[in-house]
């Protein structure tokens, strides 16, 4: 199956959803290339960036699940780089 490289930008406004977010990221960890989290204390939010290499359906599913968490928003940018799983 073809994979794509993408970056997910995640904004966490509700810290009560962090455990659910981490559980999701753990579930998809075999696809995650890297992760960076930045606490922005002055604004009371956290910014998380995820680099991922997975089938497009898998990326979309993860993005949808993250977006359904309360107090969390996500946007995904896809590259044109593809590969085989």
């Amino acid at each position: 199956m073809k994979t794509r490289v993408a970056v997910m930008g995640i904004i966490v406004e509700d810290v009560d959803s962090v455990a659910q977010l981490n559980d999701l990221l753990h579930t998809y960890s075999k696809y995650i290339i890297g992760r960076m989290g930045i606490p922005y204390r002055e604004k009371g939010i956290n910014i998380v960036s995820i680099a991922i290499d997975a089938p497009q359906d898998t990326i979309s599913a993860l993005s949808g699940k993250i977006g359904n968490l309360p107090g969390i928003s996500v946007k995904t940018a896809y590259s044109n780089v593809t590969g085989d799983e």
Side-chain angles (χ1 to χ4, degrees):
M1 181 174 283
K2 292 286 185 191
T3 65
R4 291 186 72 182
V5 175
V7 175
M8 292 183 175
I10 303 167
I11 305 293
V12 179
E13 296 175 356
D14 183 355
V15 294
D16 292 336
S17 295
V18 169
Q20 293 171 289
L21 174 62
N22 284 330
D23 287 344
L24 278 173
L25 295 178
H26 177 73
T27 300
Y28 288 84
S29 63
K30 74 176 190 175
Y31 301 109
I32 294 175
I33 302 166
R35 169 182 175 173
M36 178 179 61
I38 304 168
Y40 192 2
R41 291 178 187 88
E42 292 82 11
K43 300 289 183 181
I45 63 172
N46 293 293
I47 303 160
V48 181
S49 176
I50 304 292
I52 188 167
D53 185 1
Q56 182 151 351
D57 291 347
T58 302
I59 297 170
S60 296
L62 176 58
S63 182
K65 290 175 184 179
I66 292 171
N68 283 329
L69 295 175
I72 296 183
S73 57
V74 61
K75 294 292 180 188
T76 304
Y78 293 90
S79 77
N80 292 321
V81 176
T82 60
D84 291 317
E85 187 172 25

